[in-house]
Amino acid sequence: MNNYRTWEKEFFGRKLVVEHGKMAKQAHGACFIKFGDSAILATVDGNEEPNEGADFLPLTVEYQEKFYAAGKIPGGFIKREGRPSENAVLSARLIDRPIRPLFPDGMTNEVQVIVTVLSADPDTPPDTMGIFASSLALNLSPIPFEGVVTGVRVGYIDGEYVIFPTVEQLDKSMLDIVVAGTKNAVTMVEGEAKEVSEEIMLGALNAAHAAIKELVGFQEEILSEFKIDKWEIQIPQPIEGFIENFSEMINDEEIARIMLSTPGKKAKDKALKEYRNERIEAFKEKYAEKWSDEEMELNEKFLKAHFDERLKHVMRRSVVENDTRMDGRKHNEIRPITCELDILPRTHGSALFTRGETQSLGTVTLGAPIDEQVVDTLFEEGSKTFMLHYNFPPFSTGEVKRLRGPGRREIGHGHLAERALKFVIPKEEEFPYTIRVVSEILESNGSSSMATVCSGSLALMAAGVPIKKHVAGVAMGMIQEEDKTVVLTDILGNEDHMGDMDFKVTGTRDGITAFQMDVKVAGVSEEIMLKALQQARDARKNILDLMYNTIPEPRKEVSRHAPVIKVFNIPYDKIGELIGPGGRVIKKLSSDYEAKIFIDDEKAQVKVIGNNPEKINKLMKIVDIMLKEIEKGQVFEGIISRVEPYGIFVELAPGKVGLLHSSKLGENLKEFLKTNGVGSPVKVEVTAIDNMGRIQLKRFGVEVKEDDHPRKPSRNPGRSNQNRRYRKD
């Protein structure tokens, strides 16, 4: 405990406490953070030896939610935390993205960051402070890490930016975004908005960066008290002269010719790979006497890596000098777009959105309330009536991979698209269906999450979901060279990989609904950021024009394959009547009309769901009769429920029975009963209701004289006079 230290500082109306040296002391780096009533433990560990054969950084970030942190016991049978929730996966991605670029280039040492939520305050969500804690733990460890990074959440309420807004404030906020960055620049943004302008979004980034600088300064104060010996990273190097000689054999003009003249991602990649391999073979032949076959084989990966760097250089210079991209477009041009509807005959709504070599098949399924997604997280309990799921099968990029459940990438992309669309989804009171949108990525060459937003919006309108407006998305990029910075519209996969920014913006014609950004370089100015946002707005509006031309408004009716849902309010004192003794009435109605009936006691609301519109309409009429008072003169299509010598009893609705006396039948009772019996329909009109609520009927269309009154039925019409005598005896 001698190394235990603690620091405190007031930030944004809350106390931030940092502790080091008490918990998880065997981890390579650890810190315990309390902010408000939230508390997290961040630990980092790594392998000092590099991962042999790896050509990437094997970093894993885990975010562990402990239900005890919110004073809850996990649901389900096992009653303990299991696989990470969707929220935990999204939180892990939120932490991973800003810290990953700060590891040294070429580092292949395995690193694991674990953020454990020990106390959860809904007004101070721990996920955002996980960025701060992970950065501090990495800097306190011997693992090489080049920088200090943190994150803040930003809201926009009544024209003011609010840092770390509370739950109550977020309900009123036009913005909910998480921004991460260093003291020099914003490096990551993730969040949603309610059709805000580009200027408001830019203001949020500036407000966030000012707050980030304060938190980074606090980290730097803490780190100044430590002297940490970092591991020396052993980055494999090629044989001296190997790369220099190979470089002379590569022609940038030939790379540019192949890149610009070969259409299509697959064909372009193949042509460039063939040129690369041909140059490598020529190099091996030329220098066969200088280096052995073994040396050539061990160093071939450096030749491939160098070729990729030359391709990157050629691509970037082509954009900066000639305003010509890999597929021949100008910097602000969108790839050709096609929108098609009703691709699938049995789905409730479908749309195929194709942009260049990126293609999303969007489908909509409309379900009943029972199909709602149950939500049980640290902060939320309840259900979701709108879901969006994103699938990225291996054939979309022509690869062979095992089919598994959705990975972090699929969950993250789906969540972004869901946030983009949820603002235009109608409230449950307007449209009582549970809505599931699924995006199947059939082809991918950049910006598949934005294609998902477009296909989802089209499919929703095609399904008859009364969404307010179309929503479209576009992915932006950036090439920043010393002499010039170019913002790219609708980026390709290679432009994402070789560029300096991945910038996704979704919205309607009236403003932004979701925003995601990852910046790989420092020093993106406010001017460039505003230009990127405005260029994205112009592109989004062009895409929206095409979408509105395809389907300008939601269809008036849902698909005939969708369930029929009727919603109505019910007087509270009538709920028991609808349910019936032991639930007999509601069960019989459900069975007779092939429907499911849900009653919300709190709202005094009834939902009727079925697949047969004709039967549902009949059921609605029956329920309407049950709930209303019967009046003289009303006409009903009733069902014969019992036959007596003096007439028949007709069920007008469950629990409402009237007497059709033989004198009001219009024909002889015996003759009538030859073709009609219990269960047969009969059309009747109400002639009277006595003070005891007993209903008297006549057959519809039969003329009855005013003095033609039937014999007064017994008080217990279910028993004949003969039965009464037997009971008396």
Side-chain angles (χ1 to χ4, degrees):
M1 298 292 289
N2 294 335
N3 295 324
Y4 172 68
R5 302 188 198 182
T6 182
W7 301 264
E8 290 185 11
K9 201 158 189 177
E10 193 81 14
F11 281 105
F12 318 112
R14 301 170 179 87
K15 184 189 289 185
L16 175 59
V17 180
V18 178
E19 297 181 10
H20 173 69
K22 180 192 286 186
M23 300 183 189
K25 295 188 291 297
Q26 293 191 47
H28 282 125
C31 62
F32 177 65
I33 306 289
K34 287 190 289 186
F35 190 46
D37 283 345
S38 285
I40 55 176
L41 174 67
T43 61
V44 298
D45 286 284
N47 292 331
E48 191 168 356
E49 296 299 320
N51 195 343
E52 293 294 335
D55 58 355
F56 62 94
L57 173 67
L59 167 69
T60 57
V61 178
E62 305 290 347
Y63 184 86
Q64 297 189 108
E65 293 177 320
K66 302 298 183 180
F67 271 71
Y68 57 72
K72 295 171 63 176
I73 294 175
F77 180 75
I78 299 175
K79 297 298 178 187
R80 70 173 297 163
E81 292 84 0
R83 59 183 296 181
S85 67
E86 185 173 299
N87 182 69
V89 170
L90 295 169
S91 298
R93 281 173 53 86
L94 205 65
I95 296 166
D96 184 307
R97 286 159 51 203
I99 66 173
R100 187 175 288 270
L102 297 178
F103 289 90
D105 289 339
M107 177 174 163
T108 61
N109 303 59
E110 191 170 3
V111 179
Q112 184 177 50
V113 177
I114 300 176
V115 175
T116 306
V117 181
L118 301 175
S119 179
D121 174 9
D123 284 335
T124 314
D127 55 356
T128 312
M129 288 309 296
I131 304 170
F132 177 100
S134 299
S135 169
L136 187 56
L138 282 162
N139 279 295
L140 290 169
S141 78
I143 300 169
F145 188 71
E146 301 171 344
V148 178
V149 65
T150 191
V152 297
R153 188 177 295 272
V154 185
Y156 184 70
I157 306 163
D158 297 330
E160 299 290 333
Y161 295 105
V162 181
I163 306 298
F164 290 115
T166 64
V167 173
E168 185 179 349
Q169 288 174 319
L170 278 177
D171 287 340
K172 306 172 187 174
S173 178
M174 295 291 290
L175 268 178
D176 178 9
I177 60 172
V178 173
V179 184
T182 65
K183 66 181 178 183
N184 298 319
V186 168
T187 59
M188 185 212 75
V189 185
E190 173 86 35
E192 62 190 67
K194 298 175 181 176
E195 292 186 302
V196 302
S197 68
E198 284 68 22
E199 290 74 18
I200 289 175
M201 183 62 76
L202 182 61
L205 301 186
N206 290 335
H209 195 219
I212 284 168
K213 289 177 182 177
E214 288 187 55
L215 286 168
V216 167
F218 184 44
Q219 272 193 69
E220 290 176 336
E221 287 178 30
I222 295 170
L223 293 171
S224 66
E225 301 180 22
F226 294 85
K227 181 172 175 50
I228 308 294
D229 292 326
K230 296 286 186 178
W231 296 335
E232 289 191 16
I233 297 300
Q234 301 172 5
I235 299 175
Q237 298 294 330
I239 297 172
E240 187 177 347
F242 205 75
I243 297 301
E244 290 79 1
N245 286 300
F246 178 64
S247 183
E248 293 175 359
M249 299 181 67
I250 301 174
N251 187 317
D252 286 353
E253 292 183 2
E254 182 64 12
I255 292 176
R257 185 193 67 76
I258 295 169
M259 180 181 74
L260 296 173
S261 65
T262 311
K265 176 179 182 289
K266 283 290 179 184
K268 193 188 304 290
D269 288 347
K270 182 181 178 183
L272 288 167
K273 185 177 179 181
E274 286 175 352
Y275 175 70
R276 181 199 70 186
N277 291 344
E278 182 269 323
R279 292 290 80 201
I280 289 175
E281 289 304 314
F283 172 79
K284 288 180 178 179
E285 288 181 18
K286 183 175 181 179
Y287 294 99
E289 295 182 3
K290 185 170 184 179
W291 291 296
S292 67
D293 291 345
E294 184 180 359
E295 287 175 317
M296 288 286 189
E297 185 177 346
L298 288 172
N299 286 268
E300 185 173 329
K301 63 182 180 182
F302 296 111
L303 302 182
K304 293 179 178 179
H306 179 72
F307 182 85
D308 289 343
E309 283 299 314
R310 288 286 285 274
L311 172 60
K312 179 178 177 179
H313 171 75
V314 170
M315 183 277 283
R316 293 169 67 92
R317 294 313 303 176
S318 177
V319 170
V320 171
E321 294 174 0
N322 305 317
D323 194 18
T324 305
R325 296 160 66 175
M326 293 187 78
D327 58 356
R329 283 181 293 152
K330 301 299 182 185
H331 72 281
N332 60 349
E333 289 182 342
I334 305 168
R335 290 171 286 176
I337 291 173
T338 58
C339 305
E340 301 172 63
L341 302 179
D342 306 324
I343 300 296
L344 307 173
R346 295 289 297 191
T347 57
H348 302 156
S350 61
L352 186 67
F353 180 86
T354 307
R355 178 165 50 200
E357 293 177 293
T358 296
Q359 188 177 69
S360 168
L361 174 63
T363 63
V364 172
T365 306
L366 304 177
I370 199 171
D371 297 313
E372 294 173 342
Q373 181 180 358
V374 176
V375 177
D376 185 15
T377 66
L378 288 183
F379 300 125
E380 290 183 86
E381 286 184 13
S383 60
K384 281 174 65 176
T385 57
F386 172 60
M387 300 161 276
L388 190 148
H389 298 141
Y390 166 102
N391 296 318
F392 192 83
F395 63 75
S396 65
T397 52
E399 296 176 281
V400 178
K401 292 180 181 178
R402 290 183 63 184
L403 288 177
R404 302 172 182 262
R408 292 188 173 195
R409 182 181 183 277
E410 284 88 343
I411 291 172
H413 280 32
H415 180 67
L416 177 63
E418 182 177 300
R419 290 180 121 179
L421 288 167
K422 77 176 188 180
F423 176 70
V424 299
I425 296 295
K427 293 187 184 329
E428 188 181 353
E429 298 77 38
E430 303 170 43
F431 193 71
Y433 289 89
T434 295
I435 305 167
R436 182 184 184 227
V437 178
V438 178
S439 169
E440 304 287 353
I441 302 303
L442 307 183
E443 290 185 66
S444 179
N445 185 14
S447 193
S448 59
S449 62
M450 298 296 94
T452 292
V453 174
C454 299
S455 71
S457 183
L458 290 164
L460 284 163
M461 282 202 180
V465 179
I467 61 174
K468 303 171 187 175
K469 307 166 186 175
H470 267 311
V471 181
V474 63
M476 311 295 291
M478 183 181 72
I479 303 295
Q480 189 174 69
E481 295 288 316
E482 291 181 4
D483 50 346
K484 194 175 182 181
T485 297
V486 180
V487 176
L488 305 178
T489 296
D490 181 25
I491 57 174
L492 302 169
N494 279 331
E495 290 174 333
D496 181 7
H497 176 65
M498 299 186 220
D500 299 320
M501 180 172 68
D502 177 17
F503 186 94
K504 298 183 178 76
V505 190
T506 74
T508 66
R509 285 171 169 166
D510 299 314
I512 296 169
T513 60
F515 185 37
Q516 186 184 84
M517 182 179 75
D518 290 288
V519 181
K520 304 171 189 176
V521 296
V524 180
S525 67
E526 183 176 335
E527 180 185 0
I528 293 171
M529 193 69 73
L530 182 59
K531 180 183 178 183
L533 283 164
Q534 291 173 337
Q535 196 168 310
R537 178 189 60 201
D538 295 340
R540 185 174 77 244
K541 288 186 175 180
N542 288 334
I543 297 167
L544 284 167
D545 288 344
L546 295 171
M547 292 169 65
Y548 276 108
N549 287 339
T550 304
I551 180 167
E553 61 182 17
R555 287 175 175 156
K556 302 303 180 186
E557 301 290 336
V558 298
S559 165
R560 61 189 177 89
H561 300 301
V564 179
I565 300 183
K566 301 289 186 181
V567 181
F568 58 91
N569 294 321
I570 180 173
Y572 193 81
D573 58 357
K574 295 284 187 179
I575 291 177
E577 189 176 328
L578 180 58
I579 295 172
R584 285 196 296 272
V585 173
I586 198 170
K587 287 176 184 176
K588 187 174 187 306
L589 289 171
S590 298
S591 175
D592 290 349
Y593 296 95
E594 299 175 10
K596 294 178 181 177
I597 303 173
F598 299 90
I599 299 176
D600 187 329
D601 291 343
E602 292 184 7
K603 295 181 180 178
Q605 188 180 75
V606 180
K607 289 183 182 177
V608 178
I609 301 104
N611 292 313
N612 188 320
E614 186 178 343
K615 289 189 175 182
I616 293 297
N617 288 333
K618 286 183 178 179
L619 173 57
M620 291 298 292
K621 290 179 181 178
I622 293 297
V623 173
D624 187 55
I625 294 169
M626 291 177 60
L627 300 180
K628 287 184 178 178
E629 295 298 327
I630 302 294
E631 296 179 358
K632 182 180 177 180
Q634 283 185 287
V635 177
F636 297 98
E637 187 79 36
I639 301 294
I640 298 173
S641 62
R642 196 168 80 248
V643 177
E644 296 292 348
Y646 50 83
I648 59 178
F649 286 90
V650 180
E651 184 180 67
L652 308 179
K656 296 202 173 180
V657 178
L659 172 63
L660 174 57
H661 196 271
S662 57
S663 63
K664 296 186 179 181
L665 190 57
E667 63 178 290
N668 183 274
L669 180 59
K670 287 184 179 180
E671 290 298 317
F672 176 80
L673 293 175
K674 286 180 181 179
T675 55
N676 298 277
V678 174
S680 298
V682 59
K683 197 169 187 180
V684 295
E685 180 182 339
V686 178
T687 59
I689 304 169
D690 66 18
N691 56 7
M692 296 181 67
R694 291 177 298 196
I695 303 168
Q696 296 187 27
L697 309 169
K698 72 167 187 169
R699 197 172 177 191
F700 182 71
V702 172
E703 292 296 329
V704 179
K705 296 178 183 178
E706 288 296 325
D707 59 347
D708 186 10
H709 294 296
R711 182 179 56 195
K712 183 178 179 181
S714 66
R715 293 197 174 195
N716 187 349
R719 297 178 180 271
S720 66
N721 290 332
Q722 184 180 6
N723 286 337
R724 290 174 63 197
R725 286 200 301 272
Y726 287 144
R727 189 179 65 177
K728 185 176 181 181
D729 294 343

